Amino acid sequence: MNFTSDNAGPVPAAVLDALARANAGHAPGYGADELSERVRDRIRTLFEAPNAAVELVSTGTAANSLALATLCQPFQTVFCSPVAHIHEDECNAPEFYTGGAKLTLVPGADKMTAEGLRATIAAEESRGVHGPQRGPVSITQITERGNLYTLDELHALSAVARDYDLPVHLDGARFANACVALECTPAEMTWKAGVDVAVFGGTKNGCMGVEAVIFFDPAKHWEFQLRRKRGGHLFSKFRYLAAQMDAYLEGDLWRELAGMANARCAALAAGLTGVADIRNVPQGNMLFAALPRRAHRALHEAGARYYMWEGELDGHDDSEMLTARLVCDWSVTEADIARFVEIAKGA
Amino acid sequence: MNFTSDNAGPVPAAVLDALARANAGHAPGYGADELSERVRDRIRTLFEAPNAAVELVSTGTAANSLALATLCQPFQTVFCSPVAHIHEDECNAPEFYTGGAKLTLVPGADKMTAEGLRATIAAEESRGVHGPQRGPVSITQITERGNLYTLDELHALSAVARDYDLPVHLDGARFANACVALECTPAEMTWKAGVDVAVFGGTKNGCMGVEAVIFFDPAKHWEFQLRRKRGGHLFSKFRYLAAQMDAYLEGDLWRELAGMANARCAALAAGLTGVADIRNVPQGNMLFAALPRRAHRALHEAGARYYMWEGELDGHDDSEMLTARLVCDWSVTEADIARFVEIAKGA
Amino acid sequence: MNFTSDNAGPVPAAVLDALARANAGHAPGYGADELSERVRDRIRTLFEAPNAAVELVSTGTAANSLALATLCQPFQTVFCSPVAHIHEDECNAPEFYTGGAKLTLVPGADKMTAEGLRATIAAEESRGVHGPQRGPVSITQITERGNLYTLDELHALSAVARDYDLPVHLDGARFANACVALECTPAEMTWKAGVDVAVFGGTKNGCMGVEAVIFFDPAKHWEFQLRRKRGGHLFSKFRYLAAQMDAYLEGDLWRELAGMANARCAALAAGLTGVADIRNVPQGNMLFAALPRRAHRALHEAGARYYMWEGELDGHDDSEMLTARLVCDWSVTEADIARFVEIAKGA
Amino acid sequence: MNFTSDNAGPVPAAVLDALARANAGHAPGYGADELSERVRDRIRTLFEAPNAAVELVSTGTAANSLALATLCQPFQTVFCSPVAHIHEDECNAPEFYTGGAKLTLVPGADKMTAEGLRATIAAEESRGVHGPQRGPVSITQITERGNLYTLDELHALSAVARDYDLPVHLDGARFANACVALECTPAEMTWKAGVDVAVFGGTKNGCMGVEAVIFFDPAKHWEFQLRRKRGGHLFSKFRYLAAQMDAYLEGDLWRELAGMANARCAALAAGLTGVADIRNVPQGNMLFAALPRRAHRALHEAGARYYMWEGELDGHDDSEMLTARLVCDWSVTEADIARFVEIAKGA
C-alpha cells in the first residue's frame, strides 16, 4: 500500500522487454538510430502533428525547463499557477535554463482561470523597459493538486495568451492521466487547444525516465537541441530512452496505465466516502482526503505509505482530521485499495 | 564491425538483469531507496574513501558540468586541454552550469604537462580584478585522443594545482579503461594522486547511462545536490540509475568490460601493424591509425563503421593515407578484430 | 512644478564643483586614487563601521543586484515585498546577477511585517532539494510606496532573518530620506538594526549617478569587486564617482538635501489637506494623493508634471477622484508647492 | 609624466561645461529627455546611418558585453583575438552577459588576419550539436597592443564573417584614435566596412564615462534596451551621460582629442628612436618601447608613471632592456614628451 508518488512504482514488463529488444548490437548514438527516429514519428502520428519537432529527455524538470528556455527570453516572465511544479519543485531550474527569467504567479489556489490569467498579464503592462516583459503561459495538466483543466478551460487560457501573442507551454508530467480523464486525444488537449509546446510525460506513468517534448511549430527545433545538449540532457545511448517511449506508445500502453491509475484513485475516493473528507474530486490519480488521526495510525501500522499534506501524525486528539495526499500509480492493485479502505473504516 | 564510439555498443546482460531485479514493488524516489544507498556505499568502498560524497547522474556532460560548477565561481576560469571534452564537445555546458566561467586552454596537442599547466596558470596572474580568477584544473583520463596519464603525471599536475590552491577535477568518462591500463586502484588514480572530484563513468563502458560523481571532501555535497536538481538531473525513479551502477560494480564488472575493450584495441593495433601507421600508442580503447584509401574503401564496403579523423573517403589517390579513429567498446569481438585486420591487409 | 520622480531634478552646485576639483591632472584608475580611498573612509566613518567593505557603483539596480548576487546562491530565493523595486522595476536584474535565483514575495500591499516574513520563510521549508533554498531578506527603505520602516520594525524583520540564519539587504535608494525622517544615524538604520549589506543611495537625492554598497562584514569584499567588474560596473575613471559622493558627504549634504525634499513633501501634503484624499502618510519625499479630475486638469494645464497612479486624466466625471504620485526632489521649491496647492484648491 | 593609461587623464573643460549646462531644472529620466534624443540623432548623423539604433552606457565593458549578448546566443562562440579586451580584461563579462557563450581565440599575437579568422571559424564546423555554434566576430580597433586595422583589413575580416553569416562587433574603446589614424569617417570604419554593431568610445578619449553602442540594423534595438536595463546600465539621470557625449561630438572634439593623443605618442616614439627599441609602430596613442633599466630608473625617479610590460625594474643589469607600455591621453603635453625623452636619453 504505497501511495507516496507516481515515481514510487515499478515499470511494467513491456518497458523492460523493450530495453532488452533495443539492446542488440551497435547503433548510432545521440538519437540518430532507427528506433529513436521511429519513436519520434510515432509521437508525431499520435499527436496528429506531422511537422512537429519531437525530442526526448529523461526528466520532467529537464523537459519543462528546456521547453521554457526555448520560448522565453531572460528579460521575460512566465505566467503560471502559484503551485506549479516549475515554481515549487524544480529548485529554480526554469530560472536557470532561461538565464534568469522570472515566474509571475497567477493568484489562486491551484488552477488558473482565464480571468485571473488575463488580469495578471494585463498588470505586467505599464513599466516599459523597467519591468519584466511578458513571456510564456505555463499550464500544468493534471495540476499538482490533482485537478483537471477541461478542454474548454484550456481553450480559454490559450485564448488569453493568444490575445497577448504569448506562447503556451503544457507541463504534462501527468498528461496521460489527463487525457484518459478527459476522454480526449492528445491533439485535442494540445495544439487543438492552443498549446505551442507540450511535455508528454512517461516517467510518472510507468517508464523509468523519459519525457517527450513536442513543439508544434518546429521553428525552434534546432535551438531546443542545442539547449538540450548544453544542459547535459542529450543521451549518448539514446536508444534506451527511445525504447521506453516505444513500449509506452505500443498498443496505447500509456492510456492503459493511466486508466489503471485513475480507476484505482476513483475507487479509493469512493471507498473512503463516509469515513473521509474528500478534499478534491479526483479526476486523475491523486486524491487529497482528510481522515481521523486514528485512521492514519492504523494505516501507518499496517504499512501504508503516503505523504501527510496537512497535520502531523503525532498528536493527542485521535479524532482530529489530518489530510493525506494519496497518489495511485499504475501498479497499485484493487486489493491494495480494498485493504486501505478497510483499515481506514475499521479505525 | 562498429568502431564509431563506445556509446554505440549494447549493455551486458548483467545491466538488464539488475534493472529487472530493481523493478520489484514500490521504492522511495530521488535516491532515498536502499539500492541507491547501497550503491553509494559500494563506491565509497571501491574508492577507499569512507567520507566521500557520492552522487549519480545520467550523462557525462552533466557529471562534468555539475562537478565544475560546484568547484568554480562564475568569475573564475577552468584550466584544461585544448581538446578536452568539456571544451570541444559539450556545447558550452561548463560555461552554462558555472554561470559564465571561462575555460583557459593549456597549449599542447592533447595531454597537459605539468610545465605547461604551471606556465598557463602563472600567466593568469597579473590582472587583479580585470582578468578571470584562477579556478579548477580539469584532467581527462583517458584523453579524447586515447592517451593515458601515468600516475606520476597525475601527481605532477595536481602538485601544480596545489601550489596555486586550485581544486582538481578528473573527467573519467573512460575511467575504467584508464584504471585497467594503469593496473591501479581507483583511489590511486584519484585522491591519492591529488584529485578532488572524480567522475567515474559507466555509460561509455557498458551501462545505459550512469556516471558517479565523487567528492573526496564532502563539504560541497549539499550544493552539488541542489545544482543537480536545478539542472534537471535528479532522477525521480533513481533506482534505475542505481541498478545499472550496482551491476557495474558487482564482481568488478567495470574492470572486466574495460579490460575487454582495451584488449581488443591492443589487438587491433597489433594486427594493423605493417599495413597502417599507428598514430597513438593505444593504452585504452581508442586507436588512431592511418590506412590507405583503398583499405578504407574495402572496410567500408564490408560494413565496418568508424569516424574518419583526417582525410575523406572520396578521392582519387587510392594509396593516400587517411586516419581513422577506431574505438572499441566491450562488445567488440575478437572475430570483429580479426576480420577488420584481414580486410585492411587484403586491400 | 515637476513631481515625476527624484531622478528628474538637477544636482546641486556642490556636486558639479566636486567634479571640477577632481578633474586635476592624472590619477590612478579603477578606484585606486586618493579621492576614492578617502570617500570609502568617510563612509566607514559615517556608518561607524571601521571594518566595513565599501564600494561605489553608478546605479541603484547595479547596487542592489550586485549586493544580492554576493549574498545569494543561484538555488536560493530572496524574500521581499511584492512591490519591491528589485521585483517590479529592474527587468530581472536580480535574477540575472544571482545566476537565476528566485524572488519570493511576502504577501501584503507594501511594507513587510515580521509575522508575514516569518510565515513566508517558514513556508519555504519542507521541500528539501526540490524547492528553492532560503536566501537573503531584502528591505526597501523608504518603500516604493513612500512608507517608512521604524527602527523597531527593522529590528523585528532582521530578527526573523537571524532566526533562519539569513542575511539582510537594505535597498536604500532613498536611504537619506529615511534617515532624516527617522532622525537616526546611518548606523542605527543598518548594522545596529541587523542589516548585513546596505545601499546608501546618492542618485535619487542629488547626485548624478552614484550609490555606495556597504558590507558590514568585509568577508565578501573581493567577491563583490569581481562581480562588479564582471557586470561592467567598475568605472575606470573612478574619481568622478568618488567626487560626487565626496560632495554628498561633505557637511552632511545628503541630510540637507533629503531634509529639503521631505519638508517639501510634508508641506505639499499639508497644503492639499481638505482638497485631496491623502493616501499615505508621507514621511519621506513621496506623496500619494487623490484629487478630483478637474484639479488634475488645471494642474496639467499649468504645467505641473507627475504620474497618475490610479485613474486616467481623460474622462467625463470632473469630480471623480484620481490618485497622483507626487515625488519631491531636493530642488522643488516652496513656491512650487504653494502654486501647486493653490491651483488644486482653485479647481 | 603619466603614461599609465588613457583612463588616468582628466576631462577637457568642454565636458564639465556640458554637464553644467545640462543641469538646469527638471528633465525626464532614462534617456527620454531632449538632450539625450539630440545626442542619439547627432551620432546617427555622424555615422551617416539615419536608421541606426543608438544607445549610451557608461563603461566599455558594458558596451561590449551588452552588444555581444544581443548578437550571440548562449550556445554560440565569439571569435576574437587572444589579447582582446573582452577576453583578457573583463573578468568574464561577455560570458556573463551572453549567458555562458564561449570565446574562441584566433591564433596570433594581436591582430586577427582574415586567413586566421577563416581557419578558426572553419575549424568550429564539424561537431553538430556537440560543439559551440559559430557566433559573432569581435574586432578591437585600435587593438590592446596599439595596432591598427586598415580599412582593407576590416573589409577582409568582415567578408569572412559574412561568408559564414556571422555578425561583426567592433570594440571601439579607442575608436577615435583609430579614425584619426586612418583619416577616415566613422561610417567608413564601421558599416561601410561590414561592421554590424560598433562601440564608439568616449571614456578613454576625454569623457568621464560614456560609450555609444550603434546597431546599424535597428531590429535588435528593443532587446538591447532590455538587456541594458537588466544589467543595471540604464542611467536614470541620463542627461549626464548625454551631456558628455554632446560635448564630445560638438565641433568634432572627439577627433581633436584623439589627434592630440596620437600626435603625442608619435612624438614620443620619434623622440625615443635611438635610445629605445620601438616594439610597435604606434599609429594610435599607445607605444611599446624597450629601454635600458637605467633609463627606467631615471624616469621613475623623475616621477614618470607607466606600466612595465616585460621585465622588472628591480635587477642588477643596468643595461638590460625592459619594455614599457606608454599610453598618451589627450592631456599629455609636448613638454611632458620632451622631458621624458630627455631623461631617457640622459640615462
Side-chain angles (χ1 to χ4, degrees):
Chain A
M1 292 190 295
N2 189 308
F3 301 95
T4 51
S5 173
D6 358 33
N7 63 42
V11 306
V15 170
L16 283 171
D17 293 347
L19 288 173
R21 273 199 310 278
N23 196 44
H26 287 77
Y30 304 111
D33 59 299
E34 286 177 25
L35 176 59
S36 298
E37 188 49 58
R38 186 173 76 229
V39 165
R40 290 189 294 262
D41 275 343
R42 292 186 77 161
I43 292 175
R44 279 187 282 263
T45 301
L46 176 65
F47 278 80
E48 306 167 43
N51 297 317
V54 175
E55 294 297 340
L56 304 182
V57 295
S58 60
T59 74
T61 296
N64 287 331
S65 297
L66 287 165
L68 287 170
T70 307
L71 294 178
C72 187
Q73 292 290 310
F75 39 75
Q76 296 180 333
T77 189
V78 177
F79 297 95
C80 66
S81 163
V83 298
H85 196 272
I86 59 169
H87 175 59
E88 291 201 322
D89 282 301
E90 299 188 350
C91 197
N92 300 352
E95 288 88 348
F96 175 44
Y97 275 90
T98 57
K102 194 183 277 289
L103 272 59
T104 295
L105 307 179
V106 177
D110 181 16
K111 280 168 61 178
M112 297 186 288
T113 63
E115 298 70 33
L117 177 61
R118 187 180 297 277
T120 305
I121 296 175
E124 239 5 307
E125 85 185 321
S126 59
R127 295 179 179 277
V129 80
H130 302 284
Q133 305 299 298
R134 294 153 171 163
V137 172
S138 177
I139 304 170
T140 313
Q141 173 78 316
I142 291 178
T143 73
E144 292 293 303
R145 298 296 181 269
N147 294 314
L148 184 71
Y149 289 97
T150 66
L151 291 184
D152 281 351
E153 288 171 336
L154 292 178
H155 278 269
L157 290 172
S158 70
V160 174
R162 201 163 48 246
D163 284 350
Y164 288 96
D165 204 20
L166 305 178
V168 176
H169 161 255
L170 189 83
D171 174 355
R174 294 190 179 95
F175 189 105
N177 303 282
C179 240
V180 165
L182 289 174
E183 296 181 357
C184 73
T185 65
E188 286 168 344
M189 204 169 80
T190 54
W191 63 269
K192 289 184 177 177
V195 170
D196 294 287
V197 57
V199 175
F200 177 64
T203 312
K204 285 188 189 295
N205 192 34
C207 295
M208 289 181 177
V210 66
E211 312 274 309
V213 181
I214 303 143
F215 284 82
F216 296 104
D217 173 353
K220 289 277 197 175
H221 191 187
W222 181 235
E223 178 177 339
F224 181 86
Q225 291 177 75
L226 292 166
R227 289 187 180 275
R228 179 178 61 178
K229 172 68 193 182
R230 191 174 78 116
H233 286 289
L234 176 58
F235 269 46
S236 57
K237 295 184 173 175
F238 207 88
R239 54 174 146 171
Y240 302 109
L241 280 187
Q244 296 177 56
M245 184 53 75
D246 201 41
Y248 191 60
L249 296 170
E250 181 63 32
D252 279 344
L253 178 61
W254 63 278
R255 274 197 184 276
E256 182 185 335
L257 296 171
M260 292 163 71
N262 287 6
R264 295 300 167 274
C265 190
L268 185 59
L272 290 176
T273 303
V275 62
D277 280 356
I278 306 298
R279 295 290 168 88
N280 69 332
V281 182
Q283 294 165 291
N285 63 328
M286 205 187 301
L287 174 67
F288 291 82
L291 290 162
R293 181 176 279 116
R294 80 173 68 86
H296 287 295
R297 284 207 176 111
L299 285 161
H300 195 75
E301 278 162 27
R305 292 291 173 268
Y306 50 85
Y307 283 104
M308 200 68 86
W309 197 254
E310 287 171 3
E312 298 194 2
L313 196 55
D314 296 335
H316 296 296
D317 180 356
D318 279 1
S319 64
E320 189 185 350
M321 300 296 277
L322 311 174
T323 302
R325 187 188 80 157
L326 301 162
V327 188
C328 296
D329 75 281
W330 71 275
S331 77
V332 168
T333 64
E334 294 182 350
D336 289 334
I337 301 295
R339 189 160 160 241
F340 189 96
V341 169
E342 186 186 334
I343 295 167
K345 288 194 168 166
Chain B
M1 292 188 296
N2 190 308
F3 301 94
T4 53
S5 173
D6 359 31
N7 63 40
V11 307
V15 169
L16 283 171
D17 293 347
L19 288 174
R21 272 199 312 277
N23 196 44
H26 288 76
Y30 304 111
D33 58 299
E34 286 178 25
L35 176 59
S36 297
E37 188 49 58
R38 187 174 74 228
V39 165
R40 290 189 292 261
D41 275 343
R42 290 186 78 161
I43 292 174
R44 279 187 281 264
T45 302
L46 176 64
F47 279 81
E48 305 167 44
N51 297 317
V54 175
E55 294 297 340
L56 304 182
V57 293
S58 60
T59 73
T61 296
N64 287 332
S65 296
L66 287 165
L68 287 171
T70 306
L71 294 177
C72 187
Q73 291 290 309
F75 39 75
Q76 294 179 335
T77 191
V78 177
F79 297 95
C80 66
S81 162
V83 298
H85 197 271
I86 59 169
H87 176 60
E88 291 201 320
D89 281 302
E90 300 188 352
C91 196
N92 300 352
E95 288 87 349
F96 175 45
Y97 275 90
T98 56
K102 196 184 276 292
L103 272 59
T104 296
L105 308 179
V106 177
D110 180 18
K111 281 167 62 177
M112 297 187 288
T113 63
E115 297 70 31
L117 177 63
R118 187 180 296 276
T120 305
I121 296 175
E124 224 31 289
E125 84 184 322
S126 59
R127 295 178 179 278
V129 81
H130 301 284
Q133 305 299 298
R134 294 155 171 160
V137 172
S138 178
I139 304 171
T140 314
Q141 172 78 315
I142 291 176
T143 74
E144 293 292 303
R145 298 297 182 268
N147 295 314
L148 184 72
Y149 289 97
T150 65
L151 291 184
D152 281 351
E153 287 170 337
L154 292 178
H155 277 269
L157 289 172
S158 70
V160 174
R162 201 163 48 245
D163 284 350
Y164 288 96
D165 204 20
L166 305 177
V168 176
H169 161 255
L170 189 83
D171 174 355
R174 296 190 178 93
F175 188 105
N177 303 284
C179 239
V180 165
L182 290 174
E183 296 182 357
C184 73
T185 66
E188 287 168 342
M189 204 169 80
T190 55
W191 64 269
K192 289 184 177 176
V195 170
D196 295 285
V197 57
V199 176
F200 177 65
T203 312
K204 285 188 189 294
N205 191 36
C207 296
M208 289 182 177
V210 67
E211 312 275 310
V213 181
I214 303 143
F215 283 82
F216 296 104
D217 173 352
K220 290 276 197 176
H221 191 188
W222 181 235
E223 178 177 339
F224 181 86
Q225 290 177 78
L226 292 166
R227 290 186 179 274
R228 179 177 61 176
K229 171 68 193 180
R230 191 174 78 115
H233 286 290
L234 176 58
F235 268 47
S236 57
K237 296 184 172 174
F238 207 88
R239 54 173 145 170
Y240 303 108
L241 280 187
Q244 295 176 56
M245 185 53 77
D246 202 41
Y248 191 59
L249 296 170
E250 182 64 32
D252 280 343
L253 178 61
W254 63 278
R255 275 197 183 276
E256 183 185 334
L257 296 172
M260 292 163 71
N262 288 6
R264 295 298 168 275
C265 191
L268 186 60
L272 290 176
T273 303
V275 62
D277 280 357
I278 305 299
R279 294 290 168 88
N280 68 332
V281 182
Q283 293 164 295
N285 63 327
M286 203 186 305
L287 174 66
F288 291 82
L291 288 162
R293 181 176 279 115
R294 83 174 65 87
H296 286 295
R297 285 207 176 112
L299 285 160
H300 194 75
E301 277 161 29
R305 294 291 172 268
Y306 50 85
Y307 284 103
M308 200 68 85
W309 197 254
E310 286 172 3
E312 300 193 2
L313 196 54
D314 296 335
H316 297 295
D317 181 355
D318 279 1
S319 63
E320 188 184 351
M321 301 297 276
L322 311 174
T323 303
R325 187 188 80 157
L326 301 162
V327 188
C328 297
D329 74 281
W330 71 275
S331 77
V332 169
T333 62
E334 294 183 349
D336 290 333
I337 301 295
R339 189 161 159 241
F340 189 96
V341 169
E342 187 186 334
I343 296 167
K345 288 194 167 164
Chain C
M1 292 188 295
N2 190 307
F3 302 94
T4 51
S5 173
D6 358 31
N7 62 42
V11 306
V15 169
L16 283 172
D17 292 347
L19 288 173
R21 272 199 311 279
N23 196 44
H26 287 76
Y30 305 111
D33 59 299
E34 284 177 25
L35 175 60
S36 298
E37 188 49 57
R38 185 173 77 228
V39 165
R40 290 189 294 261
D41 274 344
R42 290 186 78 161
I43 292 175
R44 278 187 282 264
T45 301
L46 175 65
F47 279 80
E48 305 167 43
N51 297 317
V54 175
E55 294 296 340
L56 305 182
V57 294
S58 60
T59 75
T61 296
N64 287 331
S65 297
L66 287 166
L68 287 171
T70 306
L71 293 178
C72 188
Q73 291 289 310
F75 39 75
Q76 295 179 335
T77 190
V78 177
F79 297 95
C80 66
S81 163
V83 298
H85 195 273
I86 60 169
H87 175 59
E88 291 201 321
D89 282 301
E90 299 188 351
C91 196
N92 300 352
E95 289 87 347
F96 175 44
Y97 275 90
T98 57
K102 195 184 278 290
L103 271 59
T104 295
L105 308 179
V106 177
D110 181 18
K111 280 168 61 176
M112 298 186 288
T113 63
E115 299 69 33
L117 177 62
R118 186 180 297 276
T120 305
I121 295 175
E124 220 37 284
E125 84 186 322
S126 60
R127 295 178 179 279
V129 81
H130 302 284
Q133 306 299 298
R134 293 155 171 161
V137 173
S138 177
I139 304 171
T140 314
Q141 173 79 318
I142 292 175
T143 74
E144 292 292 302
R145 297 297 180 270
N147 295 315
L148 184 72
Y149 290 97
T150 65
L151 291 184
D152 281 351
E153 288 171 337
L154 292 178
H155 278 269
L157 290 172
S158 71
V160 174
R162 200 164 50 245
D163 283 350
Y164 289 95
D165 204 20
L166 305 178
V168 176
H169 161 255
L170 189 84
D171 174 355
R174 295 189 179 93
F175 188 104
N177 303 282
C179 239
V180 165
L182 289 174
E183 296 181 356
C184 73
T185 65
E188 286 169 344
M189 204 170 80
T190 56
W191 64 269
K192 289 185 177 175
V195 170
D196 295 285
V197 58
V199 176
F200 177 64
T203 312
K204 285 188 191 293
N205 191 35
C207 295
M208 289 183 176
V210 66
E211 312 275 310
V213 182
I214 304 142
F215 283 83
F216 296 104
D217 173 352
K220 290 276 196 175
H221 191 188
W222 181 234
E223 178 177 339
F224 181 86
Q225 291 177 77
L226 291 165
R227 290 187 179 273
R228 179 178 62 177
K229 171 69 192 181
R230 192 176 77 115
H233 286 290
L234 176 57
F235 269 47
S236 56
K237 294 183 173 175
F238 207 88
R239 54 173 146 171
Y240 302 109
L241 280 187
Q244 295 176 56
M245 185 54 76
D246 201 41
Y248 191 60
L249 296 170
E250 182 64 31
D252 279 344
L253 179 61
W254 63 277
R255 275 196 182 277
E256 182 186 336
L257 296 171
M260 292 163 71
N262 288 6
R264 296 299 169 273
C265 190
L268 185 61
L272 290 175
T273 302
V275 61
D277 280 356
I278 305 299
R279 294 290 167 87
N280 68 332
V281 182
Q283 294 165 294
N285 63 327
M286 203 186 303
L287 173 67
F288 291 82
L291 289 161
R293 182 176 279 116
R294 81 174 68 86
H296 287 295
R297 283 206 178 114
L299 286 160
H300 194 75
E301 279 160 29
R305 293 291 173 267
Y306 50 85
Y307 283 103
M308 200 68 86
W309 196 254
E310 286 172 4
E312 299 194 1
L313 196 55
D314 297 335
H316 297 295
D317 181 356
D318 279 2
S319 63
E320 190 185 349
M321 300 297 276
L322 311 174
T323 303
R325 187 188 80 156
L326 301 162
V327 188
C328 296
D329 73 280
W330 71 275
S331 76
V332 169
T333 63
E334 294 183 350
D336 290 332
I337 301 295
R339 190 163 158 238
F340 189 96
V341 169
E342 186 187 334
I343 295 167
K345 288 193 166 165
Chain D
M1 292 189 295
N2 189 308
F3 301 94
T4 52
S5 173
D6 357 33
N7 63 40
V11 306
V15 170
L16 282 172
D17 292 347
L19 289 173
R21 273 198 311 278
N23 196 44
H26 288 77
Y30 304 112
D33 58 299
E34 286 177 26
L35 175 59
S36 297
E37 188 49 57
R38 186 173 76 228
V39 164
R40 289 188 293 260
D41 275 343
R42 290 186 78 160
I43 292 174
R44 278 188 282 264
T45 302
L46 175 65
F47 279 81
E48 306 167 43
N51 298 316
V54 175
E55 295 296 341
L56 304 183
V57 294
S58 60
T59 74
T61 296
N64 287 331
S65 296
L66 287 165
L68 288 171
T70 306
L71 294 177
C72 187
Q73 292 290 310
F75 38 76
Q76 295 179 336
T77 191
V78 176
F79 297 95
C80 67
S81 161
V83 298
H85 196 271
I86 59 169
H87 176 60
E88 291 200 321
D89 281 302
E90 299 188 351
C91 195
N92 300 353
E95 289 87 349
F96 175 44
Y97 275 90
T98 58
K102 195 183 278 288
L103 271 60
T104 295
L105 308 179
V106 177
D110 180 16
K111 280 168 61 177
M112 298 186 287
T113 64
E115 299 68 34
L117 177 61
R118 186 179 297 278
T120 305
I121 295 176
E124 228 25 292
E125 87 185 320
S126 59
R127 295 177 179 278
V129 81
H130 301 284
Q133 305 299 298
R134 293 153 172 164
V137 172
S138 178
I139 305 171
T140 313
Q141 173 76 319
I142 292 177
T143 74
E144 293 292 304
R145 297 297 180 268
N147 294 314
L148 183 72
Y149 289 98
T150 65
L151 291 185
D152 281 351
E153 288 170 337
L154 291 179
H155 278 269
L157 289 172
S158 71
V160 174
R162 202 163 48 246
D163 284 349
Y164 288 96
D165 203 21
L166 304 178
V168 175
H169 161 255
L170 188 84
D171 173 356
R174 295 190 178 94
F175 188 105
N177 303 283
C179 240
V180 165
L182 290 175
E183 296 182 356
C184 73
T185 66
E188 286 169 343
M189 205 169 81
T190 56
W191 63 269
K192 290 185 178 177
V195 170
D196 294 285
V197 57
V199 175
F200 178 64
T203 312
K204 285 187 190 294
N205 190 35
C207 296
M208 288 182 178
V210 66
E211 312 275 309
V213 181
I214 303 144
F215 283 82
F216 296 104
D217 173 353
K220 290 275 197 177
H221 190 187
W222 181 235
E223 177 177 339
F224 181 85
Q225 290 177 78
L226 291 166
R227 289 187 181 274
R228 179 178 60 177
K229 171 68 192 181
R230 192 174 77 116
H233 286 289
L234 176 58
F235 268 47
S236 57
K237 296 184 173 175
F238 207 88
R239 55 174 145 171
Y240 303 108
L241 280 187
Q244 295 176 56
M245 184 55 74
D246 201 41
Y248 191 59
L249 295 171
E250 182 63 33
D252 280 344
L253 178 61
W254 63 277
R255 274 197 183 276
E256 182 185 336
L257 296 172
M260 292 163 71
N262 288 6
R264 295 300 168 275
C265 190
L268 186 59
L272 290 176
T273 303
V275 62
D277 280 356
I278 305 299
R279 293 291 167 88
N280 69 331
V281 182
Q283 293 165 294
N285 64 327
M286 205 187 301
L287 173 68
F288 291 83
L291 289 160
R293 181 176 279 116
R294 81 173 68 85
H296 288 294
R297 284 207 177 112
L299 285 161
H300 193 76
E301 277 160 30
R305 292 292 172 268
Y306 50 85
Y307 283 104
M308 200 68 85
W309 198 253
E310 287 172 3
E312 300 193 0
L313 195 55
D314 296 336
H316 297 295
D317 180 355
D318 279 2
S319 62
E320 189 185 349
M321 300 297 276
L322 310 175
T323 303
R325 187 188 80 157
L326 300 162
V327 188
C328 297
D329 74 282
W330 71 275
S331 76
V332 168
T333 63
E334 294 183 349
D336 289 334
I337 301 295
R339 191 162 158 240
F340 189 96
V341 169
E342 186 187 335
I343 295 167
K345 288 194 167 165

